[in-house]
């Protein structure tokens, strides 16, 4: 049995972070889930729960796959230089599935991204994947919004970028103050999206259904 082999590949049970910190093994993670089940008041050895620690750990791999991906490399790899297209590009209604870092429960919503290219554009699927890299981490919505906008600004260097996220936090809707139907809207505007009112208005108009759908909350 080769327990010494420690790599950074997903398929291996022990992962090492980019900063060299070794993550707990899958067995340790499953044992932690067993502890939580017992702490909640149930028996992790009863039939329905026997496979649960393994399933939870597998779900965590999916929920938090973003820690294994580099958002800068994702965008940098595919940009095309010297494009002549210099109109606003908007991708709206990107499905958002993330987890809040305070309770590790889902944040579900939509992301809208707009940018005004200055020589570099990326395929729209890259923007959706960029959202996913940051969403599949433990997050707060404000940070998530900034990270998406800042990465686009840093890598593509457009003349402006805007990111708007509208999302419902299940830690608010199913526990604590229990406010179903409330969604939170955050935005980050950079460059011309911040400084030029016309550009900002064009972006907001393009994602316009937002104001009609958020019913003033
Ligand atoms: Zn929360």
């Amino acid at each position: 049995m080769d327990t010494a082999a420690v790599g950074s590949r997903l398929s291996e049970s022990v992962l090492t972070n980019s900063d060299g910190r070794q993550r707990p093994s899958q067995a340790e993670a499953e044992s932690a889930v067993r502890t939580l089940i017992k702490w909640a008041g149930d028996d992790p050895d009863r039939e329905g729960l026997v496979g649960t620690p393994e399933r939870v750990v597998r779900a965590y791999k999916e929920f938090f796959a973003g820690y294994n991906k580099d958002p800068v490399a994702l965008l940098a790899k595919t940009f095309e230089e010297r494009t002549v297209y210099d109109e606003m590009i908007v991708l709206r209604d990107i499905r958002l599935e993330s987890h809040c870092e305070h309770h590790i429960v889902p944040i579900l919503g939509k992301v809208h991204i707009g940018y005004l290219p200055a020589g570099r554009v990326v395929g729209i699927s890259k923007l959706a994947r960029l959202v996913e890299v940051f969403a599949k981490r433990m997050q707060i919505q404000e940070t998530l919004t900034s990270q998406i906008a800042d990465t686009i600004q840093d890598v593509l260097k457009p003349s402006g970028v805007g990111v708007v996220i509208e999302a419902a936090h299940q830690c608010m809707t199913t526990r604590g103050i229990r406010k179903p139907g409330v969604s939170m809207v955050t935005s980050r505007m950079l460059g011309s999206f911040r400084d030029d009112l016309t550009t900002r208005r064009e972006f907001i108009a393009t994602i316009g259904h937002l104001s009609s759908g958020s019913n003033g909350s």
Side-chain angles (χ1 to χ4, degrees), residues 9 28 86 95 108 117 136 162 174 196:
R9 285 175 49 230
E28 287 173 299
D86 61 354
R95 167 93 180 147
L108 300 173
K136 295 209 174 296
T174 66
D196 179 0

Side-chain angles (χ1 to χ4, degrees), residues 98-107 138-140 169 171:
S98 189
H99 287 80
C100 88
E101 67 184 27
H102 299 137
H103 307 93
I104 319 187
V105 296
I107 301 171
M138 295 174 201
Q139 280 288 7
I140 60 170
H169 294 233
C171 57

Side-chain angles (χ1 to χ4, degrees), residues 63-64 94-111 131 134-145 165-174 182-186:
F63 294 160
F64 304 116
I94 305 165
R95 167 93 180 147
L96 170 69
E97 294 172 3
S98 189
H99 287 80
C100 88
E101 67 184 27
H102 299 137
H103 307 93
I104 319 187
V105 296
I107 301 171
L108 300 173
K110 286 184 276 186
V111 183
V131 168
F134 287 120
K136 295 209 174 296
R137 300 178 181 194
M138 295 174 201
Q139 280 288 7
I140 60 170
Q141 191 175 323
E142 296 89 331
T143 305
L144 177 62
T145 310
I165 298 181
E166 40 180 335
H169 294 233
Q170 286 189 7
C171 57
M172 273 182 70
T173 57
T174 66
V182 171
S183 67
M184 179 164 146
V185 179
T186 48

